[in-house]
Amino acid sequence: MTRTPTTTDLTTDVMNECIAQSIAYTRAHEASQMEGFFEFLRLPSISTDPAYQEDLRGAANWLCEHMLKIGFEEAYLLENKGAPIVYGECFKAPEGSPTIMIYAHYDVQPVKPLSRWYYDPFEPTVIDGKIYARGAVDDKCGVYFNLKAIESMLEATGQLPVNIKVFFEGEEESGSPNMSHAIAQYRDKLKADLLIVSDGGSAPEQPYITSGVRGIISAEIEIKGPKKDLHSGRFGGVVHNPVHQLSKIIASLHDEAGWVQIPGFYDDVLPVSTEERAALALQSEGLMSYQQEVAGVKAFWGIKEQAFLERISHQPTCDVNGIYGGYQGDGTMTIIPTSAGCKITMRLVANQDPFDIAQKFERFIESFRTETLEISLKSRTGYSYPAKLLSEGPVVEALRASYASIWQKTPQIVGMGGSIPILGMFYQELAMPMVLFGFGIGDNQHAPNEFIYLREFRRSIDTAIDFYHRLGRISL
């Protein structure tokens, strides 16, 4: 086994040799490493369905055992009110090396409806260069590919270029409801020089460095009318239909241009500068056709004055995620339904406070109250703050260099349209610098037939090996 020097002051030649040795190891063991990924994907770690709680914990225990097997000094569960956190330490870098903490999540979305899956969602299937499985791209790749990079560096060189902690969450897909308390509880244990966020990813042929993530709040509106479904011939025109009122609320959320109509919704949104808007418009040109193909729509919708990337990253949104009420079967059933409702999420941008927006939304719903119906916010969960990530400086330059070396591509700086609830909590609680380094390059996250491109197994591990060695040479 080749050993690296016992100092972090590595020359470029030595660093490159360490990278080459580590990549050679993962090449030689690619088949067994891939089988381990498939074993991990077979674990149905669904966090949103109570029926899978034992499976969720089983996946957490599997990770702890695997981490100890590949060389972590410590790997155990941090218990909290929800799913356990998988925590580990591998302090095998030279003295004086920085300490990074890697975040990813091991829980996955539900798989229903099963009829829309081409293959068993928990039996990984490789077809046409894609690995189909629930969690393949969101976010078991973020967990497992990092572990394989760590294993390869340890086996090839005997040590790591940086000290590493891992924090693998088990309730991200549930909105991280217990993570704020957990971060406060384990605050001292979670200290590090840098947080690596391995959730999300890039386009298949274009790496991204994400400058920030949006926050999120969710709500469910429930409207109750008559005590039972009524005959629409006997009661139509005299009993207020809950579906009609729900439709009125939904129609009032946006104006014709696409602006959200909740009073005060945009009060704290920071303006986008002319220069930044021009840059977003330029970046949008290369992304829109790909995103349009992924979405399968003829044209995009939204505020015309805002570039595509501005709309999906720098501006807040309000979306109806589901509607229920009345007869849903084939044919006609002439009723006035007893109730109706919908589920709504709002994505928030920098400077917006999710609790402030929740109050404004509640006042907006209050304006639709009437004596003929009972309107309530049935549940409000999943509050998270937006978070700013590193988009310049030595860490970002190291990541740029790694993408250039492994991908042969210069990464673009973009804002993420999605939300990673725990990042806002880390940002608020620990003020730790964060960089997003995700491996989720595929499609159909949160939908049937989720997949990750097969080639990303090799390319992601290679990029992680390269990046972590570069981090070992800079002052964090």
Side-chain angles (χ1 to χ4, degrees):
M1 178 184 294
T2 304
R3 298 285 180 176
T4 56
T6 57
T7 170
T8 55
D9 186 23
L10 301 180
T11 66
T12 300
D13 287 344
V14 171
M15 181 190 73
N16 289 339
E17 179 61 23
C18 291
I19 293 170
Q21 290 170 5
S22 300
I23 290 176
Y25 176 88
T26 197
R27 289 288 186 279
H29 296 82
E30 186 170 345
S32 61
Q33 290 187 344
M34 181 71 76
E35 180 50 42
F37 186 42
F38 284 12
E39 183 179 347
F40 186 32
L41 290 172
R42 292 187 183 104
L43 304 176
S45 52
I46 298 172
S47 63
T48 59
D49 187 340
Y52 289 87
Q53 291 308 298
E54 288 302 316
D55 295 302
L56 191 64
R57 182 168 287 273
N61 287 324
W62 185 93
L63 282 171
C64 287
E65 293 172 7
H66 189 76
M67 288 158 58
L68 292 171
K69 180 180 178 181
I70 66 174
F72 276 70
E73 293 102 330
E74 293 189 89
Y76 51 86
L77 302 183
L78 299 179
E79 299 292 351
N80 67 96
K81 294 180 181 179
I85 298 160
V86 177
Y87 176 80
E89 293 181 357
C90 197
F91 284 15
K92 295 184 178 180
E95 184 178 354
S97 298
T99 297
I100 66 171
M101 184 165 69
I102 299 171
Y103 166 84
H105 65 90
Y106 66 89
D107 64 319
V108 301
Q109 282 277 320
V111 296
K112 295 179 180 178
L114 283 171
S115 61
R116 292 174 56 193
W117 283 82
Y118 302 145
Y119 317 103
D120 183 337
F122 291 113
E123 183 52 52
T125 304
V126 180
I127 299 289
D128 296 331
K130 301 171 183 176
I131 304 172
Y132 287 88
R134 174 56 90 218
V137 70
D138 186 18
D139 176 40
K140 286 186 174 179
C141 62
V143 173
Y144 190 80
F145 294 178
N146 269 302
L147 294 181
K148 293 301 101 177
I150 294 167
E151 175 189 346
S152 298
M153 291 184 290
L154 286 173
E155 291 293 335
T157 69
Q159 62 181 26
L160 298 174
V162 290
N163 292 312
I164 293 177
K165 298 179 178 181
V166 300
F167 183 107
F168 296 149
E169 183 187 358
E171 54 182 51
E172 195 274 344
E173 299 295 6
S174 300
S176 304
N178 299 293
M179 286 300 102
S180 181
H181 174 78
I183 292 171
Q185 180 180 357
Y186 298 110
R187 182 186 184 92
D188 292 340
K189 187 180 293 292
L190 303 181
K191 290 179 180 178
D193 297 305
L194 176 70
L195 177 65
I196 305 289
V197 182
S198 283
D199 196 4
S202 298
E205 297 302 332
Q206 178 59 60
Y208 296 140
I209 297 175
T210 302
S211 60
V213 297
R214 293 195 285 193
I216 190 171
I217 63 172
S218 61
E220 182 174 347
I221 303 169
E222 184 177 57
I223 304 179
K224 293 182 179 179
K227 65 180 182 180
K228 60 181 180 180
D229 291 347
L230 299 176
H231 191 294
S232 63
R234 293 178 61 194
F235 293 98
V238 293
V239 172
H240 201 165
N241 190 318
V243 176
H244 294 180
Q245 189 71 353
L246 178 67
S247 301
K248 183 178 180 181
I249 293 173
I250 293 172
S252 300
L253 289 172
H254 302 85
D255 66 12
E256 288 298 318
W259 292 99
V260 177
Q261 295 300 288
I262 300 168
F265 188 74
Y266 294 99
D267 284 355
D268 297 319
V269 176
L270 300 175
V272 178
S273 68
T274 302
E275 294 78 10
E276 191 172 15
R277 182 161 284 167
L280 289 168
L282 185 62
Q283 289 179 328
S284 295
E285 292 178 4
L287 181 63
M288 283 182 66
S289 59
Y290 168 72
Q291 293 286 62
Q292 194 166 343
E293 181 181 349
V294 169
V297 296
K298 294 181 179 179
F300 285 118
W301 171 87
I303 300 165
K304 302 299 183 185
E305 295 81 9
Q306 298 169 352
F308 175 80
L309 268 176
E310 180 180 348
R311 277 180 262 165
I312 66 171
S313 61
H314 287 60
Q315 294 293 338
T317 64
C318 178
D319 284 291
V320 177
N321 310 126
I323 300 175
Y324 56 90
Y327 179 63
Q328 304 292 326
D330 294 334
T332 301
M333 188 174 184
T334 54
I335 61 167
I336 296 173
T338 182
S339 63
C342 69
K343 298 177 185 290
I344 290 176
T345 53
M346 286 161 270
R347 303 282 180 171
L348 310 180
V349 294
N351 213 42
Q352 283 186 299
D353 185 317
F355 295 94
D356 172 64
I357 295 299
Q359 291 177 350
K360 289 173 177 174
F361 179 68
E362 187 168 354
R363 290 195 293 270
F364 175 75
I365 298 302
E366 287 286 338
S367 69
F368 291 92
R369 292 200 180 279
T370 171
E371 63 180 11
T372 55
L373 294 167
E374 179 184 334
I375 302 177
S376 63
L377 286 177
K378 186 177 178 182
S379 64
R380 285 165 288 177
T381 60
Y383 290 25
S384 73
Y385 284 87
K388 183 173 176 56
L389 305 173
L390 294 176
S391 58
E392 59 183 6
V395 171
V396 172
E397 290 309 309
L399 186 51
R400 281 182 182 275
S402 293
Y403 279 128
S405 174
I406 304 300
W407 286 55
Q408 302 297 302
K409 291 274 188 176
T410 301
Q412 292 181 356
I413 305 293
V414 299
M416 178 186 281
S419 306
I420 305 176
I422 199 171
L423 298 195
M425 300 172 198
F426 278 124
Y427 191 70
Q428 295 287 320
E429 292 282 344
L430 300 178
M432 188 187 302
M434 301 182 287
V435 65
L436 197 145
F437 178 45
F439 308 134
I441 304 169
D443 202 0
N444 297 333
Q445 304 94 316
H446 297 206
N449 306 309
E450 178 178 355
F451 72 84
I452 188 169
Y453 288 104
L454 180 62
R455 67 186 176 201
E456 298 310 325
F457 185 89
R458 173 180 289 185
R459 186 162 67 172
S460 294
I461 296 172
D462 291 356
T463 309
I465 290 169
D466 190 283
F467 181 41
Y468 296 148
H469 275 91
R470 292 178 192 275
L471 284 181
R473 301 184 68 206
I474 64 179
S475 177
L476 296 178

